[in-house]
Structure formats: structure tokens, C-alpha cells
Amino acid sequence: MKSSDVQQTRAKMETYKSTLGTMTPVFLLNVLVLILRTEAQVPDVCSLSDTNRPPEDSDIHVVCGTEYMDLSIYICPVYQARYNESLMVLNNEFTKPECFGTANMTAVPPVLKFKIPLNESAIAACNSIFKVTTEVGTGEFSDFSNVQFINISGVINTIDPSTGMITYRPQIMYKFSCRYPMQYVLNNTEVAVSGVKVAMRGNNGSFISSLALELYNDDQYQDRLVIPSIGLTLKTKIYVAVTATNLTDRFNVLLDRCYATTEPYPVVNEFYDLFVGCTRDAQTKIDRNGADHKAYFSFEAFRFVKHKNQSISTFYLHCVTRLCEVSSCNSFLPDCTSTPVSQRRKREIQEVSDAATVTSPPIVVGQQGSGFQSDNYSSPVVAVIVCIVILTIFVAAMAAYVVLHNRRKPLIQ
């Protein structure tokens, strides 16, 4: 610093000296940092940068990710306005260290980065606005009567350390927001020994970071289902659990539709609905939906008729899954008591744009509901056993014939 700058800084410290006794240690530390860094020189790296200019509204870049909101601000204009990274903070929360950004002077151009975790406590810590709205479905969600969105917004503003009645520093304020639909298609999901985590793409603005779909043998959802190589027996009861991980208590999982296809793709001409709205397959039972972080339902193993000449039938499960705010989940569940089926839900059997795709092993169902063949015997072994049984019967019949024939011969006198 120049000697005049040092004198000015000392004068500012004297001004604050009378009030230091009433400040908390954290607040005191922040004040001292602001004072000492206020007159920092413009970094050399900014001298060669195209962003070495006054601030503009377009200086902020927002990425609405699946686990974090990433905010980047050109830092050279901040220095041009006689501020620095220690004077830029989220929503004016200058007493909280987690609300300040981190300067990256090696980036081209240099930036000030903020990283906001997508959980309600972290968002509230720096006083960002967390709001849930309900809208009529449009665009890729046009086949749903209502869709809920999460809107997260706030500002990054400057802290002016000037102590007098006037200042020569401009006020800088960058507004940001992200909009996350609480709905997407989970397709080609894991249907084998274990579930699969679905990492959502960062460019689609989905709030949930992962789901897991798991199959079970029992209605307590404890014993995982293992599909044998020869396929499941027809009418085997399959219990399905769809679980959201790292989800705040504010939201529940809601299944709108689950259906099966013979191809590993969710959008095809041929499909069979297990349930959609109030329409439900007779063997499908929904145990829990829209009431927890998990949704449960069950159905019985079946075969597609087009596979009648095949030893096994293979199909894939697809579930349309969304989130609902706990207080409004009941309003999203279909009323299947009195309203005609055609009016119970706007959604009909239509194609749904996929927002996340994960490919799974198939669900395999054998040709026979029950029979001689079992998991312990291969087809050649069964054939040998059948031949041995037939041969044994034949030999026994021949022996009986010989015995009876000998008994009927007349005795020689």
C-alpha cells in the first residue's frame, strides 16, 4: 500500500475502535478483514483480461446442477469497482463464512465462485429463497394436470466499507435463480438383484440427484428378489420399492404410472400398464404412494403373448416418478371413488419425454407355471431321466410277460 493508503486505513480503524467492544468475535474478525483488504490493488492478472472493465449484469453465470448450484462471477470488474472477494457475499450474510465465495485467479477469465448445496438447510443458511409452486403442466409435462416446481433465488451483493456519509463505490448486486421441476421419467430401471442409483444430468435442472428401484420377494420388502437364469415362474409375486435418497423431509415420492415393454426403451408402440392414475391391472396392488421417501407396489410375473413360441419371455419395467410437497401430496393422488375414469386425471396413455435414462437387466419369466423341470436339472439331464424311467418300465413289463408265459406252459407227462 502507499503511505496515504496506510494513513487512511489507520483512520478507519480509529473510527471503528469505539464500537469494537460491542461486537462478537466473528463479526469483529469480518470487520477487520474488510478494512484491511478494502484498498487492495487490482491483481496483475486482471490487467491483461478482457473483463478488466466496470461491472455488468451479464458478469454472473449460473449452473443449476443436480447436487449444487454453481455461481461464477467475473472478479476483475469487482476490483474495478474498488471491491474484492471479501466484500462480495450471498444475501448480505457477511457474518457467515459459508456465504462468501472463493476467488479463482488462474481461471480465464478470473472468477469468484459460489457453491450452494441443494438441500434446504444449506439454502436457508445464507438466506436464499426456497419456494414451491404448482403449475399446469406444459411442454414436456403437458400430459400432467399439475406439476410442482422448486424455485431457489437470491442475490450476491457488495459490502461497502465506507464509514462516512457518502461513498464513491457503486453498489453491485447480481441476482440468481434456479427452477427445478419435481418430476421426471425414471425408465429402464434396475430390476435384478439390487437397485441402481440414477445420477440426473446436470443440464436438465432436476432437483433429485438419485433414485433407487429394488425388487423383493416379500411384502415386508426385506428379501431381495433373485431372477434365475431360466426365468421366474408365472404369477410369482414381485414387490417393487422406489426410493429417493438424500431427500429433505419436505417432499415425498409419487408414482404416476408404471408399465412394461418388451424392448429396453420407454417410448414404444407396444406396452402394458401395471397402473396409470385410477386404471390398474387386476394383479397390481399399490401399498404406499405419495406418503414417504419410498413408494411400494406389487404385481405378478406374466408373459407377453407375442413370446408364446419362446421358452422365456423378457420385459422391462418403466416408472413415471415425481416428487410432491408433503402438504399437497394428497391433491396429486387420483380420486378413484366416484369420478368417472375418463375425468379422474388429465393424463391418458401418451408418450412421456424422458428426463433420465438407466438401462437394466431384463425381467425374465419362464414358459411353465410349474412342471417337471427345476432349477437343479438342465434339459439334457431331464431327457436322460425320462429315458431311464421309460426303459425301466419296458424291462419290468417284459419280465412280467416272461413270468406269466412260463406259468401257462403244460407240464410234460
Side-chain angles (χ1 to χ4, degrees):
M1 291 186 183
K2 300 177 182 179
S3 58
S4 58
D5 294 336
V6 173
Q7 293 177 357
Q8 186 178 4
T9 301
R10 288 177 178 174
K12 291 176 182 178
M13 293 181 68
E14 289 296 329
T15 303
Y16 283 108
K17 188 174 181 180
S18 60
T19 59
L20 293 181
T22 60
M23 295 181 181
T24 64
V26 174
F27 185 79
L28 175 60
L29 178 61
N30 278 278
V31 169
L32 292 176
V33 170
L34 299 184
I35 293 173
L36 294 174
R37 300 191 65 181
T38 296
E39 305 298 336
Q41 299 291 326
V42 174
D44 293 338
V45 68
C46 287
S47 301
L48 302 176
S49 174
D50 294 337
T51 59
N52 189 23
R53 52 166 173 71
E56 298 177 357
D57 292 340
S58 59
D59 288 346
I60 185 171
H61 180 64
V62 181
V63 176
C64 301
T66 59
E67 297 182 8
Y68 299 92
M69 290 175 58
D70 291 296
L71 315 177
S72 298
I73 299 173
Y74 295 150
I75 199 172
C76 294
V78 173
Y79 275 90
Q80 274 278 334
R82 300 181 68 192
Y83 295 98
N84 54 50
E85 59 270 21
S86 68
L87 299 173
M88 301 289 294
V89 67
L90 280 169
N91 304 305
N92 207 37
E93 295 290 334
F94 62 89
T95 61
K96 300 178 180 179
E98 65 270 25
C99 300
F100 287 82
T102 302
N104 184 354
M105 307 305 290
T106 61
V108 181
V111 292
L112 176 62
K113 299 182 72 66
F114 293 81
K115 200 174 190 70
I116 305 175
L118 286 183
N119 60 70
E120 200 166 1
S121 59
I123 293 169
C126 292
N127 204 29
S128 293
I129 299 173
F130 185 96
K131 185 178 180 181
V132 177
T133 59
T134 302
E135 305 173 18
V136 175
T138 60
E140 64 179 322
F141 303 120
S142 59
D143 51 352
F144 290 92
S145 55
N146 289 295
V147 179
Q148 287 192 310
F149 292 86
I150 297 174
N151 292 275
I152 303 171
S153 60
V155 297
I156 299 174
N157 58 283
T158 52
I159 304 171
D160 193 334
S162 301
T163 58
M165 296 181 64
I166 64 172
T167 181
Y168 293 99
R169 294 180 176 85
Q171 176 66 25
I172 304 177
M173 180 179 294
Y174 296 107
K175 295 182 179 181
F176 65 89
S177 65
C178 280
R179 186 169 180 262
Y180 294 92
M182 293 200 298
Q183 176 181 322
Y184 51 84
V185 176
L186 173 66
N187 47 44
N188 294 346
T189 45
E190 176 72 58
V191 288
V193 179
S194 61
V196 63
K197 296 297 180 64
V198 184
M200 308 298 290
R201 294 192 301 262
N203 60 0
N204 68 6
S206 296
F207 185 71
I208 274 290
S209 59
S210 62
L211 283 179
L213 188 151
E214 297 167 329
L215 301 183
Y216 295 88
N217 277 317
D218 63 311
D219 58 4
Q220 299 300 312
Y221 297 87
Q222 299 293 328
D223 184 19
R224 295 284 180 84
L225 176 66
V226 178
I227 301 177
S229 59
I230 61 171
L232 297 170
T233 302
L234 283 169
K235 296 187 69 65
T236 296
K237 200 79 169 180
I238 301 174
Y239 297 88
V240 184
V242 178
T243 306
T245 57
N246 301 319
L247 183 62
T248 172
D249 290 338
R250 187 169 178 172
F251 304 108
N252 289 338
V253 171
L254 179 65
L255 300 180
D256 267 322
R257 177 193 181 199
C258 282
Y259 60 103
T261 66
T262 57
E263 300 293 334
Y265 312 106
V267 182
V268 293
N269 294 327
E270 295 182 345
F271 54 81
Y272 181 75
D273 276 304
L274 297 179
F275 65 87
V276 52
C278 293
T279 304
R280 187 180 307 170
D281 171 78
Q283 310 306 321
T284 299
K285 179 184 177 183
I286 300 176
D287 295 322
R288 192 172 184 83
N289 193 20
D292 202 342
H293 291 180
K294 295 183 178 182
Y296 298 117
F297 72 95
S298 63
F299 68 99
E300 293 183 359
F302 56 85
R303 289 171 56 89
F304 276 84
V305 175
K306 64 188 294 185
H307 295 160
K308 62 182 179 181
N309 295 324
Q310 300 178 15
S311 60
I312 60 175
S313 179
T314 301
F315 64 87
Y316 301 82
L317 184 65
H318 315 278
C319 285
V320 180
T321 310
R322 60 169 153 172
L323 301 180
C324 57
E325 195 174 24
V326 171
S327 61
S328 61
C329 285
N330 286 337
S331 65
F332 287 94
L333 292 171
D335 181 8
C336 304
T337 56
S338 58
T339 307
V341 174
S342 60
Q343 300 177 10
R344 287 172 188 161
R345 187 184 284 275
K346 177 183 175 182
R347 194 197 191 294
E348 296 297 339
I349 308 301
Q350 302 174 4
E351 293 183 353
V352 181
S353 301
D354 63 318
T357 301
V358 58
T359 302
S360 73
I363 297 180
V364 181
V365 180
Q367 191 172 27
Q368 302 296 327
S370 61
F372 185 77
Q373 184 174 341
S374 68
D375 293 350
N376 297 326
Y377 299 97
S378 63
S379 296
V381 173
V382 172
V384 170
I385 294 174
V386 171
C387 290
I388 292 174
V389 171
I390 294 174
L391 183 59
T392 301
I393 294 174
F394 177 78
V395 171
M398 289 298 295
Y401 174 79
V402 171
V403 171
L404 290 174
H405 179 74
N406 291 336
R407 285 182 178 179
R408 291 178 179 177
K409 284 184 179 181
L411 296 175
I412 299 177
Q413 298 297 330

